[in-house]
Amino acid sequence: MAIATMGVTVLDCRSPRELAEFYAAVLDWRIEGEGEWVELIGPHGRQLAFQESPGHRPPQWPGTEMPQQFHLDLDVPREELDAAEAEVLRLGATVLEGDDDGRRDWRVYADPAGHPFCLCVH
């Protein structure tokens, strides 16, 4: 028997609303809340939340001095990977690591608050 069930995944950041807007545009999820805690509500009850942390220091990729601690893998059909990359860059992401000229099935980015995430071929 499980001790608990999985709740919401929470990302610390300086500006919860701004980061929620970035992921809402990427995932097409609904934003709820204002201020220090903002949530995204997705299909099947999925949730992603953003919590204000004024002293937040983003991780550095790659490296261990300021490790990533966690990252999100977002699935994209192979034929849409370039378009998905263009869109996340337009929304404020930055490229941390490419797909090694197509030899890997993922690309690594930082969201506007500096959290690493990957677009992965699904």
Side-chain angles (χ1 to χ4, degrees):
M1 180 168 93
I3 294 171
T5 59
M6 182 66 179
V8 63
T9 299
V10 182
L11 283 74
D12 285 354
C13 58
R14 291 182 185 266
S15 178
R17 182 68 186 205
E18 287 179 21
L19 196 55
E21 288 173 356
F22 171 81
Y23 281 105
V26 170
L27 298 169
D28 194 26
W29 288 11
R30 182 179 82 253
I31 297 175
E32 288 188 359
E34 289 292 335
E36 297 176 359
W37 182 273
V38 179
E39 293 182 347
L40 290 184
I41 309 300
H44 310 292
R46 293 181 181 145
Q47 293 180 316
L48 182 60
F50 307 91
Q51 175 176 281
E52 184 176 11
S53 176
H56 177 260
R57 293 179 26 188
Q60 302 298 307
W61 175 275
T64 56
E65 201 167 302
M66 299 247 336
Q68 67 175 329
Q69 299 171 1
F70 83 98
H71 71 275
L72 301 171
D73 284 347
L74 306 176
D75 293 339
V76 177
R78 181 177 302 280
E79 62 275 7
E80 295 176 22
L81 186 58
D82 290 336
E85 176 177 90
E87 187 63 12
V88 298
L89 295 176
R90 185 188 70 74
L91 292 167
T94 56
V95 176
L96 296 178
E97 194 171 282
D99 60 6
D100 198 19
D101 293 322
R103 289 188 279 275
R104 293 193 319 219
D105 287 338
W106 71 90
R107 299 174 186 171
V108 184
Y109 306 86
D111 68 24
H115 302 105
F117 71 95
C118 298
L119 293 179
C120 302
V121 172
H122 175 69

